[in-house]
Amino acid sequence: ISIPLGFFGGIGGASRKGVLIKGSNYLELLSKTDIFVFDKTGTLTEGVFEVQKINSVDISEEELLKIAAYAESYSNHPISASIKKAYQKEINQEIIEKTEEISGKGIISQIENKTVVIGNNKIMQEKGIEYKNCNDIGTILYVAINNKFEGSIVIADKIKEDAKQTIQGLKRNNVSKTVMLTGDKKEIAEKVAKQIEIDEVYTDLLPDQKVEKVEELMKQKTEKGKLAFVGDGINDAPVLAISDIGIAMGGLGSDAAIEAADIVIMNDKPSKILEAIKISNKTMRIVKQNIIFAISVKILVLILGACGIATMWEAVFADVGVSFIAILNSLRALGRKSHVI
């Protein structure tokens, strides 16, 4: 009874702090994690993008923003939301004939007999479109109409307030390596990584490349160590599934990511990971205490019984009494004050 009750107490205590753990095995693995891998957008950053600059070529800035908003109208990606928010006008869906989203690259849309291509430099290169490179710091969306480059839109994201605190807390908790994976440009990602003091950063990654990178990092674990991946988007679902522990941001995260994850952070705060680790460590201590206490008392009473010293009352205590004490000890996992490591 000491083992399941200890884990149930830990899972219950974590849920009260806004961390949903889908099984006792994940609670145990969390205490053994020595490599943490993070997605950037929506995980370490707010995922709330804002249009900072519009660079138009042969059309007006207003027209470029309108075309981009129409092309992005069917997408629920944070970047798409920022474009539609900046446009601030109603979108007539009837003139949008067809929309195709290219994972990790951008969108191709048919609007009033015009083919609109919008996305990063990879989709421009793939479609053979000559474009003018934008060197502004931020996420750059290039826009082409009928294979003619028409301009770019600069969008910036904001780092979460507790992101740096989370990375520092993980390092104090004996996590050997913190890594960030992102599809963003090198300049943007390295700037974020430097600000939050993350150890390694890999940029310009497509979803399948993220999987390959995590598989490489899995080989760098210690013998008993585990790897945890933290993400929020639909593109993160495959990585969440192959990691030892998948942690999803449940507030704004996609359904696919939440379904694939083993642990869900309900309020999207990275610092909740520190809470979960603290609860995991405490739960493991309580479970070990219960096991050692129960076995020790039973062995002692068996020895005393063999020597003719133990009576029926000692036997009752070794059974019912030990179970009762183990239950009380397990309840300690439920009542932990919120603080970070």
Side-chain angles (χ1 to χ4, degrees):
I1 199 171
S2 61
I3 298 175
L5 273 177
F7 283 116
F8 292 158
I11 292 172
S15 66
R16 290 171 63 179
K17 308 298 181 186
V19 181
L20 302 184
I21 301 175
K22 297 183 180 180
S24 58
N25 52 328
Y26 305 120
L27 186 64
E28 180 181 0
L29 291 177
L30 197 57
S31 65
K32 301 176 181 178
T33 304
D34 64 349
I35 298 178
F36 264 88
V37 183
F38 294 86
D39 175 50
K40 183 180 79 68
T41 306
T43 303
L44 294 173
T45 62
E46 295 284 356
V48 180
F49 292 85
E50 292 183 353
V51 173
Q52 302 291 330
K53 188 177 180 182
I54 300 174
N55 305 307
S56 59
V57 179
D58 292 328
I59 60 176
S60 66
E61 292 184 1
E62 184 179 350
E63 183 66 17
L64 184 66
L65 182 60
K66 176 184 176 181
I67 291 293
Y70 271 73
E72 298 275 2
S73 63
Y74 285 106
S75 176
N76 59 1
H77 192 279
I79 291 177
S80 303
S82 69
I83 296 288
K84 289 179 280 189
K85 182 180 178 182
Y87 181 55
Q88 292 184 333
K89 295 179 182 178
E90 187 176 351
I91 295 174
N92 181 11
Q93 304 286 356
E94 293 180 0
I95 67 173
I96 305 172
E97 300 165 15
K98 182 181 177 183
T99 297
E100 179 186 4
E101 188 164 352
I102 312 298
S103 181
K105 296 179 182 178
I107 288 174
I108 301 174
S109 185
Q110 296 287 335
I111 304 170
E112 290 187 317
N113 297 320
K114 297 176 183 176
T115 301
V116 178
V117 179
I118 178 170
N120 55 27
N121 57 340
K122 293 178 182 178
I123 198 168
M124 294 289 124
Q125 293 167 3
E126 186 178 283
K127 298 300 176 182
I129 300 170
E130 293 185 8
Y131 66 98
K132 183 180 179 182
N133 193 46
C134 179
N135 295 317
D136 292 323
I137 298 297
T139 299
I140 313 298
L141 288 182
Y142 297 100
V143 183
I145 302 174
N146 291 332
N147 290 327
K148 182 179 181 295
F149 178 66
E150 297 291 356
S152 59
I153 300 173
V154 183
I155 300 169
D157 197 2
K158 180 183 176 184
I159 297 173
K160 290 184 177 179
E161 293 180 359
D162 58 345
K164 183 176 180 179
Q165 174 192 13
T166 301
I167 301 302
Q168 292 175 336
L170 290 173
K171 292 177 180 179
R172 289 196 296 270
N173 200 53
N174 300 321
V175 171
S176 63
K177 183 184 293 185
T178 55
V179 182
M180 184 172 74
L181 306 181
T182 178
D184 274 353
K185 288 168 48 178
K186 183 178 180 181
E187 296 83 2
I188 304 169
E190 287 185 345
K191 181 181 177 181
V192 172
K194 185 177 180 181
Q195 289 179 343
I196 63 177
E197 299 179 3
I198 210 157
D199 297 325
E200 296 179 10
V201 57
Y202 298 93
T203 61
D204 297 304
L205 298 176
L206 295 175
D208 59 321
Q209 292 174 320
K210 285 185 179 181
V211 173
E212 292 173 4
K213 188 58 65 176
V214 168
E215 288 175 342
E216 289 178 18
L217 291 167
M218 294 273 278
K219 298 175 183 177
Q220 300 176 21
K221 299 182 298 181
T222 58
E223 186 178 349
K224 295 183 179 179
K226 302 298 176 183
L227 181 144
F229 178 82
V230 189
D232 73 309
I234 189 170
N235 292 335
D236 296 325
V239 194
L240 289 165
I242 68 166
S243 303
D244 293 320
I245 308 172
I247 303 175
M249 296 294 169
L252 297 175
S254 70
D255 292 341
I258 294 170
E259 181 68 25
D262 308 309
I263 298 173
V264 181
I265 308 295
M266 295 309 298
N267 63 1
D268 288 353
K269 290 184 177 181
S271 57
K272 285 294 181 180
I273 297 171
L274 302 179
E275 288 277 359
I277 292 174
K278 196 73 176 180
I279 291 170
S280 174
N281 291 336
K282 184 173 183 179
T283 300
M284 293 309 299
R285 287 198 302 270
I286 289 171
V287 168
K288 290 174 183 176
Q289 288 168 4
N290 285 347
I291 292 172
I292 293 169
F293 175 68
I295 292 176
S296 299
V297 171
K298 289 181 183 297
I299 290 174
L300 177 62
V301 172
L302 281 172
I303 293 171
L304 293 175
C307 297
I309 300 174
T311 65
M312 180 63 72
W313 289 111
E314 280 77 10
V316 170
F317 174 76
D319 184 26
V320 180
V322 167
S323 297
F324 183 69
I325 293 172
I327 291 170
L328 293 178
N329 193 37
S330 297
L331 292 176
R332 291 169 48 223
L334 284 169
R336 203 185 69 77
K337 294 181 180 179
S338 294
H339 69 275
V340 294
I341 300 172

